[in-house]
Amino acid sequence: MDILRFLTAGSVDDGKSTLIGRLLYDSKSIMVDQLEAIERSTKNKEEGRVDLALLTDGLRAEREQGITIDVAYKYFSTPKRKFIIADTPGHIQYTRNMVTGASNSDLAIILIDARHGVVEQTRRHSIIVSLLNLPHVVVAVNKMDLVHYSQDKYNDIVIDYSQVAASLGLKNVTYIPISALNGDNIVEKSTSMPWYDGGSLLSVLETVEVSEDINLTEGRFPVQYVIRPQTEELPDYRGYAGKIISGIYRKGDKVVVQPSGIESTISAVELGGKEVEEAFAPQSVVLHLADDVDISRGDMIVKQDAPVQVAQEFEVVLCWMSNTPLVPRNRYLLQINSRNVRCVVKELEYKLNVNTLEKELSPVSAGLNDVVKATIKTASPIAFDTYQKLRANGGAILIDETSNVTVGACMITTQASEKPFWPEI
């Protein structure tokens, strides 16, 4: 079975944690002891019902405050598919946590409270989904029971959000009216909304196509490890192990090792310890080259017919994730896939207001949760694609050299010498 990674995003108290709890509960993915523990934690509540949000709000502070602080990951499966869920916070001060959860997701569920409609946090989270180029969006209009399952209320929200989606260029948007508390349209179709002719949330999650989102055109293979056993049985064995992040690799393919630019030919492809004729993303394999080439961890083996950009200076959209401000000329480590290189943030072009999309030109610094356009220069060349073209090879992180803490999430937009990319919104 394939795996769907998705996140929930929305404003505070829109019911993200309850939605995930309901998915787990109704799909029978909760262990008996878990359910008993949740029942004990909620037995004194006035409503008398099980608080399903506690299945994801795992931190003590979250339980005490009744809010989600950190990204909570949950796993469950159905006969059709496996799922990895990221429950992200709704508070503004935890925007960086949503970026973390979204960076590896295939789909975003954006919750909207049916009573309040599209609010500021809805737009903020939608902009982040757009920036991170998530291929699928599900808009779940929650708490329909509190508006008496009104079709007019639901239609008004769909019209309002459609304008937001169109302005941001969001693709494959699906709308579902739900009640996470009561389980309406979560796993089974609700009888309370006969006017809704779509499927339940789980049926959408089970059937959305994620295989089409894998790029099989541009061959990208970051080298994770060079295998040199040097044993009597394998005296001359030299293999390059890693995960194919895009494309298809076959025996006999012409390739280029970047950033050195050395050309060679694939002499063998190993998958699971056995030689195969071809392998494709996202498989982990060992490649062998016909020539003895100087390759180390962090280099990238690229198909010759699908060149990659190689540069030391490029522009990024950057989400700052540290309490220590980002100031131009600060030095960091930049990691893209398996390559780790020292770098400097040369300048900040503008700071983006993620609520209005207005740009503050030439800011002197960037603070926690700020989104900025910046120019980065690395100590040595790196091989990359733009984030819009290939997420797997266009995303990077900035690491503080002294504390080794991740301080920034980068989406590469272009080489510094080219016309900068930003969608006109």
Side-chain angles (χ1 to χ4, degrees):
M1 292 190 294
D2 60 355
I3 298 175
L4 176 70
R5 297 173 173 84
F6 69 91
L7 82 150
T8 56
S11 191
V12 179
D13 294 330
D14 277 351
K16 298 179 296 298
S17 298
T18 302
L19 169 64
I20 294 176
R22 175 61 67 182
L23 268 175
L24 297 173
Y25 184 81
D26 286 358
S27 63
K28 298 179 174 55
S29 301
I30 305 173
M31 306 295 281
V32 175
D33 56 341
Q34 280 183 297
L35 185 58
E36 290 175 349
I38 297 300
E39 289 174 342
R40 287 195 299 269
S41 299
T42 59
K43 65 181 180 181
N44 294 323
K45 288 204 169 185
E46 293 180 5
E47 297 88 348
R49 68 174 80 201
V50 176
D51 187 357
L52 297 173
L54 295 182
L55 286 167
T56 54
D57 288 342
L59 300 177
R60 179 179 297 178
E62 294 177 336
R63 291 174 181 267
E64 291 174 351
Q65 298 178 52
I67 64 172
T68 301
I69 295 174
D70 201 1
V71 181
Y73 291 96
K74 286 292 177 181
Y75 309 85
F76 78 103
S77 62
T78 67
K80 295 182 179 179
R81 177 172 274 172
K82 296 180 180 179
F83 302 92
I84 301 177
I85 319 170
D87 181 21
T88 62
H91 289 70
I92 293 176
Q93 62 264 42
Y94 300 124
T95 300
R96 60 177 175 176
N97 301 58
M98 184 199 164
V99 173
T100 302
S103 61
N104 289 318
S105 297
D106 306 303
L107 178 147
I109 299 177
I110 296 181
L111 266 79
I112 298 177
D113 191 320
R115 299 169 300 172
H116 305 141
V118 176
V119 297
E120 177 183 307
Q121 275 294 77
T122 309
R123 293 186 177 88
R124 171 184 286 265
H125 291 151
S126 298
I127 290 169
I128 293 173
V129 166
S130 172
L131 286 173
L132 292 172
N133 200 27
L134 266 67
H136 305 280
V137 177
V138 172
V139 178
V141 183
N142 193 22
K143 304 188 180 181
M144 288 296 295
D145 54 309
L146 299 182
V147 295
H148 309 292
Y149 299 104
S150 168
Q151 182 179 6
D152 290 339
K153 189 72 175 177
Y154 169 75
N155 288 340
D156 289 343
I157 293 173
V158 171
I159 292 170
D160 289 344
Y161 191 85
S162 296
Q163 296 175 349
V164 175
S167 67
L168 296 174
L170 295 178
K171 312 168 193 173
N172 304 320
V173 182
T174 303
Y175 300 89
I176 306 176
I178 66 169
S179 170
L181 194 63
N182 296 332
D184 293 301
N185 284 338
I186 303 299
V187 172
E188 302 291 341
K189 280 289 296 290
S190 172
T191 57
S192 302
M193 292 175 278
W195 44 264
Y196 171 67
D197 56 3
S200 68
L201 177 61
L202 183 60
S203 68
V204 171
L205 296 177
E206 284 182 329
T207 56
V208 65
E209 282 291 339
V210 293
S211 58
E212 294 180 0
D213 301 324
I214 298 175
N215 185 317
L216 296 176
T217 306
E218 275 80 21
R220 304 288 184 261
F221 181 80
V223 176
Q224 293 280 352
Y225 186 70
V226 180
I227 303 176
R228 293 281 321 271
Q230 295 182 314
T231 60
E232 292 184 5
E233 297 82 6
L234 300 167
D236 301 317
Y237 185 98
R238 183 193 295 266
Y240 306 104
K243 177 182 177 181
I244 302 173
I245 60 175
S246 64
I248 303 173
Y249 285 81
R250 300 180 177 90
K251 182 177 179 179
D253 281 346
K254 302 292 184 182
V255 295
V256 181
V257 180
Q258 295 290 10
S260 64
I262 299 173
E263 299 180 359
S264 187
T265 304
I266 296 178
S267 59
V269 180
E270 287 184 32
L271 176 64
K274 297 180 180 179
E275 191 168 328
V276 295
E277 286 300 313
E278 68 174 28
F280 50 86
Q283 293 177 328
S284 296
V285 299
V286 177
L287 298 184
H288 298 260
L289 301 185
D291 306 289
D292 290 332
V293 181
D294 183 14
I295 298 178
S296 57
R297 173 180 168 85
D299 289 340
M300 181 171 288
I301 300 176
V302 179
K303 294 281 289 291
Q304 202 172 80
D305 57 359
V308 69
Q309 296 188 59
V310 179
Q312 284 184 252
E313 193 167 321
F314 45 88
E315 295 179 342
V316 301
V317 172
L318 187 154
C319 179
W320 194 244
M321 307 168 72
S322 172
N323 290 310
T324 304
L326 167 64
V327 179
R329 313 307 301 178
N330 279 8
R331 298 179 181 276
Y332 303 96
L333 293 173
L334 181 134
Q335 181 165 332
I336 175 169
N337 290 311
S338 57
R339 187 163 182 80
N340 198 303
V341 60
R342 298 181 69 185
C343 72
V344 60
V345 178
K346 287 186 62 178
E347 60 181 357
L348 304 181
E349 182 180 333
Y350 60 76
K351 183 187 298 185
L352 184 71
N353 184 322
V354 294
N355 301 316
T356 64
L357 290 178
E358 294 179 353
K359 301 171 185 177
E360 176 193 333
L361 298 178
S362 304
V364 296
S365 64
L368 178 65
N369 294 322
D370 280 343
V371 175
V372 296
K373 184 73 172 291
T375 301
I376 291 178
K377 185 170 185 178
T378 55
S380 57
I382 66 167
F384 64 89
D385 294 276
T386 62
Y387 192 86
Q388 292 292 117
K389 177 182 177 182
L390 184 60
R391 290 175 65 196
N393 197 39
I397 58 173
L398 290 181
I399 302 170
D400 185 274
E401 289 186 284
T402 54
S403 64
N404 209 34
V405 171
T406 300
V407 293
C410 306
M411 291 151 280
I412 301 175
T413 60
T414 181
Q415 289 189 34
S417 59
E418 297 180 0
K419 181 179 179 181
F421 169 83
W422 188 263
E424 293 300 327
I425 300 173

